[in-house]
Amino acid sequence: MLSRLFDLVPRGLALLPPEEAHELTIKALELGVFPHEATPDHPALALNFAGLTLPNPVGIAAGFDKDARVPDAVLALGCGFAEVGTTTPLAQPGNPRPRLFRLRRDGAVINRLGFNNGGHQAALERLRRRAARGVVGVNIGANRDAEDRIGDYVKGIDAFYDVASYFTVNISSPNTPGLRDLQQPAALDPLLKRVMAARARLLEADKRRRPIVVKLSPDIAADELPEIVARLVAHDVDGIAVSNTTLARPGLSDPAAREPGGLSGCPLFHRSTVMLARIHEMTGGKTPLIGIGGIDSGAAALAKIEAGATLIQLYTGLIYEGPGLVRRIKDHLNAAVRSAKVAAITDLVGKDAKSWAAMRLDA
Ligand SMILES: Cc1cc2nc3c(=O)[nH]c(=O)nc-3n(C[C@H](O)[C@H](O)[C@H](O)COP(=O)(O)O)c2cc1C
């Protein structure tokens, strides 16, 4: 009954401007006004990701909780893990408003927030106050005006090492000018060298190994992808997140499609899934992947897993479908495990990678 009521939430929030709707959502989560997951996850959904044990593979993508205000609420909602951030060393306001747009007709969102966040210190204090339960990753970025952008990622690793379950190195946001240049093969080497050296130094002192995930853009040209993936593998990253938002505008009908910024949601599903599958093929399935982009149903979540994702994350789907989507996805994944007569959801990872990888990126 109560969870049915929460299914009406997207309709109510749609009446508010998008940033106000988001703030209200975070406030509700802070206050505990959301459908708590009452049933433990089926053991078939449990998995290991880069040494971390998770009860299920479903998470909410970075940008939802930039300042680490609600990681425990995200977990209580039934997610298998939470990711906070992107956080930058110094607080920054982001781009001028309006900077967040709903494309209702396309099931999409365009954002040009530009890493608006309260900075490392504020997020760190919140993470320190929580009981260290559940997997909570920290997504780290660079300040817009940083002189040494790579240095900002190292600061993120240093600041959060004792409270982060894993790190996501976000070099794929389109809203900080020049940030995505860090994905160029020549730039990846110095970045990953310093990030991995920071992890090695902290590992020595702390003894707990924090996995490092690198989050990529879906706009990487197909012919540049193999070299980029080769560098990530050479530096021994623990995971690759595919993908961030796109600057492309594939067949949109909503008038807000003209707004500059990163597009997320349904129109991103195909491209991000093909790219995910190609990376799964390139790495021989040895590097675990986080599949992100346009997941708005149980079927879409299963398709991402079958294309090669060990974990999945969603954001835009939640805006249109409401918090009940997490439960519906898990029910669908459970049913898929039963009907495929396999032991666990991980048995389905990459099952369809070959056929997805062979598809055109811009179908
Ligand atoms: C409003 C908004 C803010 C976002 N902020 C971030 C961010 O700070 N860091 C990041 O790595 N990705 C950010 N993203 C990208 C999402 O994490 C995700 O990669 C992308 O939206 C695709 O997933 P979706 O189609 O399920 O929304 C943001 C997305 C949206 C819609």
Side-chain angles (χ1 to χ4, degrees), residues 149-332:
R149 280 212 165 137
I150 295 179
D152 276 13
Y153 291 91
V154 172
K155 283 183 187 163
I157 305 276
D158 271 319
F160 293 97
Y161 202 80
D162 60 332
V163 290
S165 305
Y166 70 91
F167 288 98
T168 298
V169 176
N170 177 14
I171 45 174
S172 46
S173 167
N175 299 313
T176 297
L179 190 86
R180 306 201 302 178
D181 294 347
L182 289 170
Q183 295 178 127
Q184 298 292 328
L188 273 175
D189 279 336
L191 168 75
L192 291 174
K193 222 185 227 161
R194 286 177 65 188
V195 162
M196 291 303 181
R199 198 258 304 264
R201 170 169 47 75
L202 290 156
L203 177 60
E204 186 87 352
D206 182 286
K207 301 296 174 222
R208 286 167 301 180
R209 188 173 186 282
R210 308 304 191 190
I212 308 276
V213 173
V214 175
K215 185 167 178 179
L216 296 180
S217 159
D219 300 334
I220 291 171
D223 58 349
E224 286 176 9
L225 190 60
E227 177 62 18
I228 290 171
V229 171
R231 302 281 171 120
L232 297 180
V233 170
H235 286 278
D236 222 7
V237 302
D238 300 281
I240 306 174
V242 190
S243 73
N244 214 310
T245 55
T246 178
L247 289 176
R249 296 289 183 266
L252 305 178
S253 61
D254 199 290
R258 276 186 246 109
E259 294 292 342
L263 174 78
S264 57
C266 292
L268 175 62
F269 179 78
H270 179 85
R271 190 180 180 92
S272 59
T273 309
V274 172
M275 194 169 149
L276 173 84
R278 290 185 181 176
I279 296 176
H280 182 272
E281 293 294 279
M282 286 170 199
T283 55
K286 287 198 189 83
T287 305
L289 308 179
I290 305 181
I292 322 163
I295 298 175
D296 63 348
S297 65
L302 179 63
K304 280 280 188 215
I305 289 171
E306 291 180 335
T310 297
L311 299 183
I312 53 167
Q313 287 178 327
L314 48 141
Y315 189 164
T316 306
L318 215 55
I319 295 173
Y320 292 110
E321 302 298 324
L325 179 60
V326 172
R327 168 83 270 161
R328 291 196 290 280
I329 288 177
K330 292 195 293 181
D331 287 345
H332 191 89

Side-chain angles (χ1 to χ4, degrees), residues 44 302 305-306 331-349 351-352:
L302 179 63
I305 289 171
E306 291 180 335
D331 287 345
H332 191 89
L333 299 182
N334 270 323
V337 168
R338 278 198 304 276
S339 79
K341 296 191 167 50
V342 291
I345 191 68
T346 46
D347 293 323
L348 299 178
V349 173
K351 181 179 146 285
D352 293 339

Side-chain angles (χ1 to χ4, degrees), residues 5-274:
L5 205 62
F6 281 111
D7 285 341
L8 300 175
V9 164
R11 268 193 256 169
L13 289 175
L15 302 172
L16 294 174
E19 268 199 66
E20 277 76 355
H22 181 255
E23 179 56 26
L24 196 64
T25 305
I26 296 288
K27 284 241 161 73
L29 290 170
E30 281 180 329
L31 293 170
V33 186
F34 62 91
H36 288 65
E37 177 59 277
T39 16
D41 289 318
H42 194 283
L45 294 190
L47 54 98
N48 183 291
F49 179 87
L52 303 168
T53 306
L54 288 79
N56 74 68
V58 187
I60 296 179
F64 177 77
D65 184 15
K66 286 180 187 274
D67 290 315
R69 289 165 65 185
V70 292
D72 291 303
V74 166
L75 296 171
L77 198 63
C79 286
F81 67 113
E83 184 169 311
V84 304
T86 296
T87 175
T88 57
L90 303 175
Q92 59 178 30
N95 291 319
R97 296 186 192 205
R99 52 193 183 175
L100 182 58
F101 306 87
R102 296 189 193 98
L103 284 68
R104 177 158 292 282
R105 268 197 245 163
D106 302 304
V109 160
I110 289 176
N111 93 80
R112 52 170 180 270
L113 294 171
F115 287 168
N116 55 315
N117 78 107
H120 283 174
Q121 203 50 44
L124 184 61
E125 279 163 22
R126 288 193 191 97
L127 291 173
R128 285 237 164 93
R129 278 200 297 271
R130 62 180 293 273
R133 230 173 296 140
V135 169
V136 178
V138 177
N139 180 307
I140 51 176
N143 276 116
R144 188 189 167 99
D145 300 326
E147 263 173 40
D148 172 17
R149 280 212 165 137
I150 295 179
D152 276 13
Y153 291 91
V154 172
K155 283 183 187 163
I157 305 276
D158 271 319
F160 293 97
Y161 202 80
D162 60 332
V163 290
S165 305
Y166 70 91
F167 288 98
T168 298
V169 176
N170 177 14
I171 45 174
S172 46
S173 167
N175 299 313
T176 297
L179 190 86
R180 306 201 302 178
D181 294 347
L182 289 170
Q183 295 178 127
Q184 298 292 328
L188 273 175
D189 279 336
L191 168 75
L192 291 174
K193 222 185 227 161
R194 286 177 65 188
V195 162
M196 291 303 181
R199 198 258 304 264
R201 170 169 47 75
L202 290 156
L203 177 60
E204 186 87 352
D206 182 286
K207 301 296 174 222
R208 286 167 301 180
R209 188 173 186 282
R210 308 304 191 190
I212 308 276
V213 173
V214 175
K215 185 167 178 179
L216 296 180
S217 159
D219 300 334
I220 291 171
D223 58 349
E224 286 176 9
L225 190 60
E227 177 62 18
I228 290 171
V229 171
R231 302 281 171 120
L232 297 180
V233 170
H235 286 278
D236 222 7
V237 302
D238 300 281
I240 306 174
V242 190
S243 73
N244 214 310
T245 55
T246 178
L247 289 176
R249 296 289 183 266
L252 305 178
S253 61
D254 199 290
R258 276 186 246 109
E259 294 292 342
L263 174 78
S264 57
C266 292
L268 175 62
F269 179 78
H270 179 85
R271 190 180 180 92
S272 59
T273 309
V274 172

